[in-house]
Amino acid sequence: MTTSHSLAAEGLTLGYGDRTVIDSLDLCVPAGLMTAIVGANACGKSTLLRAMSRLLAPRGGRVVLDGREVHRTPAKELARTLGLLPQTPIAPDGITVTDLVSRGRHPHQRIFSRWNSEDDAAVAAALTATDTLDLADRDVDELSGGQRQRVWIAMALAQQTDVLLLDEPTTFLDANHQIEVLDLLTDLNETRGTTIVMVLHDLNLAARYADHLIALTPGRPHASGTPQEVLTRERVHAVFGLDCRVIEDPVSGRPLILPIGRHRIKPAATTPSTPDRA
């Protein structure tokens, strides 16, 4: 079982150029749980994840991991505790699947140390868990989008961090592999206690798999808590501008969002008229 680590944002302000994306945000990620960050496009979900992983420097405030500012922690030291799978990772040209997944072991390599059996085992376990073992010798640039996404997830798993941040981990995956990846992350959370933070667009997948939800509106959190607390009809409308019904998911017992559009709506039942009598 891994050790739980506390991750928080304190007065965090983030932006690009002249544009502020997140303003004075305070946020606490529950240790040892699965957290999903949800919100409309361009509300700052990916920006927040980049700052939490030290890739984007704050304009104000700070991100703290176990009481230490992540932006003051050496990158390699941080990478032994916290891993990130970005939204659109780029692989070097001509790299094989095994070589890419092996890069997840880089933070664990010491000066003058050699690759060892523990590294081999971590890479093999990551390939097996993501169903990519049969792709091990292939070039990454030959893979389909879904295969490539599973390989990137394997690299993140090989890093064996106690905190794992994933930006849209189900991108490019069909429905079956989406469920497999989220089941895999749940296994990782439940067996190792890994703190998982993931950006998800699919509210129903977020509701089913996350223990804790953070709903962002542009620049700041609108609500946080359990799926039942966050995914109410009123809050879904406030965050997404979406009319919906919320019912109990018959599989998980958690909220299930039923969007309401302008078309394909079941007409209301009508009472048959009584024929006029002479």
Side-chain angles (χ1 to χ4, degrees):
M1 181 70 70
T2 187
T3 302
S4 294
H5 294 267
S6 61
L7 180 65
E10 300 175 354
L12 190 64
T13 298
L14 305 168
Y16 306 97
D18 296 330
R19 183 168 65 98
T20 297
V21 177
I22 288 176
D23 188 21
S24 301
L25 180 144
D26 291 313
L27 196 66
C28 184
V29 173
L33 298 182
M34 291 184 68
T35 293
I37 301 175
V38 300
N41 290 339
C43 71
K45 302 184 297 295
S46 296
T47 297
L48 175 59
L49 226 61
R50 284 172 55 82
M52 284 182 166
S53 64
R54 197 179 177 271
L55 290 182
L56 179 64
R59 291 180 172 180
R62 61 181 191 163
V63 177
V64 179
L65 177 64
D66 295 337
R68 297 181 63 187
E69 290 189 42
V70 299
H71 291 85
R72 296 180 181 271
T73 304
K76 194 168 183 179
E77 178 182 341
L78 181 68
R80 288 194 287 271
T81 300
L82 186 149
L84 170 71
L85 176 64
Q87 192 174 56
T88 53
I90 299 174
D93 291 338
I95 193 170
T96 67
V97 168
T98 297
D99 288 341
L100 182 63
V101 175
S102 297
R103 293 193 174 199
R105 301 301 299 162
H106 174 70
H108 302 279
Q109 304 301 307
R110 309 288 183 175
I111 297 177
F112 305 123
S113 66
R114 295 182 178 181
W115 188 270
N116 57 38
S117 58
E118 184 178 338
D119 298 314
D120 282 328
V123 170
L127 291 169
T128 300
T130 53
D131 193 25
T132 53
L133 192 59
D134 60 333
L135 306 175
D137 296 326
R138 292 182 59 182
D139 286 348
V140 173
D141 53 17
E142 297 176 356
L143 305 180
S144 69
Q147 290 172 326
R148 193 176 297 118
Q149 184 72 356
R150 285 186 285 139
V151 168
W152 281 110
I153 292 171
M155 190 190 78
L157 296 183
Q159 195 172 334
Q160 293 185 326
T161 58
D162 295 335
V163 181
L164 184 56
L165 313 180
L166 305 105
D167 194 354
E168 280 296 318
T170 56
T171 298
F172 305 120
L173 300 180
D174 58 31
N176 180 52
H177 281 114
Q178 287 181 30
I179 296 301
E180 285 186 359
V181 164
L182 292 171
D183 280 344
L184 169 62
L185 295 175
T186 302
D187 290 340
L188 191 65
N189 169 256
E190 292 181 350
T191 59
R192 297 192 68 246
T194 304
T195 299
I196 306 284
V197 184
M198 52 189 174
V199 170
L200 288 177
H201 276 298
D202 189 317
L203 289 179
N204 288 326
L205 289 180
R208 179 174 291 189
Y209 282 94
D211 306 298
H212 184 80
L213 292 185
I214 298 170
L216 292 185
T217 51
R220 60 183 59 253
H222 176 79
S224 63
T226 66
Q228 290 85 349
E229 292 169 336
V230 173
L231 295 179
T232 64
R233 184 179 63 181
E234 295 77 15
R235 283 179 169 162
V236 170
H237 187 273
V239 173
F240 294 93
L242 176 68
D243 290 327
C244 69
R245 292 177 185 170
V246 181
I247 65 173
E248 182 179 291
D249 184 337
V251 174
S252 67
R254 294 185 174 196
L256 182 67
I257 311 300
L258 303 178
I260 300 174
R262 294 185 297 108
H263 300 290
R264 303 295 187 263
I265 299 172
K266 181 180 179 181
T270 58
T271 303
S273 59
T274 303
D276 291 337
R277 292 173 182 251

